[in-house]
Amino acid sequence: MKKLIAALLLFTGSLVFSQSVPTKVYEQENYSITLPEGWKVTDDSNIINIFPGNEVGAITISEYHDLNLPKTETKKFILALYKSTDDESKIKSRSGKKGYTEYLYEYFDKKEKLFWITKVFQKDKDLYLITINCGQKYWNGNYMKLFNEAFDSFKIKK
């Protein structure tokens, strides 16, 4: 019985460790994000794109300073990004860390068959826009997990 339990624990432990993916931290002056090792990062005029080698999706990060966008208009701004007819109530908002208001919106583009998840962090005239886009046929299992882990690791330094 002890041998069976030991074998079961060893098997379970190997599964847990085999599922972990090595990561690296991408640092900018105002934020950082942890992404899987081997993913590519491009900087297109301060718009950062992070994606796996097979380019089935991406995380995009944009930051804006001196942006005069009232909080009452932020949800409309997010919906306009996707030309979405969704009601503003589909966008969740809460007070976040460091005085930022956090917004979260999930959208499925039926025409392009893409999942989009958007987070916006807004404080005064500073705004950080972080999105995931991923093809529907890849938005399952490991890709969903890897994208969400990187997305959730986004940290504002100030």
Side-chain angles (χ1 to χ4, degrees):
M1 185 65 165
K2 287 182 183 179
K3 289 181 182 179
L4 180 61
I5 291 172
L8 184 60
L9 286 174
L10 184 62
F11 176 74
T12 304
S14 68
L15 282 178
V16 169
F17 288 109
S18 68
Q19 295 291 327
S20 67
V21 174
T23 60
K24 63 181 177 182
V25 176
Y26 177 78
E27 300 263 353
Q28 283 285 65
E29 180 182 344
N30 296 320
Y31 64 85
S32 67
I33 186 169
T34 303
L35 56 132
E37 192 76 44
W39 281 28
K40 298 175 183 177
V41 178
T42 62
D43 183 341
D44 183 23
S45 301
N46 290 326
I47 297 174
I48 306 302
N49 292 292
I50 301 167
F51 50 92
N54 59 4
E55 300 181 21
V56 297
I59 296 173
T60 302
I61 305 170
S62 307
E63 63 179 299
Y64 305 91
H65 305 285
D66 297 322
L67 181 67
N68 194 14
L69 179 67
K71 286 187 180 185
T72 56
E73 298 296 313
T74 303
K75 288 184 177 184
K76 290 178 186 147
F77 166 75
I78 294 168
L79 291 173
L81 291 171
Y82 304 102
K83 298 178 182 156
S84 174
T85 58
D86 285 346
D87 188 80
E88 287 181 28
S89 63
K90 283 203 160 191
I91 300 173
K92 299 172 186 139
S93 64
R94 67 183 180 103
S95 294
K97 297 176 182 172
K98 301 182 181 183
Y100 284 86
T101 301
E102 296 180 20
Y103 300 88
L104 176 66
Y105 178 58
E106 296 181 10
Y107 176 74
F108 178 67
D109 183 332
K110 293 175 186 164
K111 182 180 175 190
E112 300 293 327
K113 298 194 183 312
L114 285 173
F115 280 101
W116 288 90
I117 301 176
T118 301
K119 278 188 185 179
V120 172
F121 298 87
Q122 183 182 24
K123 179 171 107 176
D124 302 325
K125 292 186 176 189
D126 292 332
L127 185 135
Y128 295 87
L129 173 66
I130 302 99
T131 63
I132 295 174
N133 72 71
C134 186
Q136 179 182 14
K137 68 181 185 177
Y138 300 103
W139 189 248
N140 58 29
N142 205 38
Y143 279 114
M144 182 173 66
K145 178 180 182 268
L146 292 172
F147 275 113
N148 279 319
E149 284 176 354
F151 195 65
D152 291 339
S153 74
F154 179 84
K155 302 276 186 273
I156 297 171
K157 294 179 180 179
K158 298 184 193 185

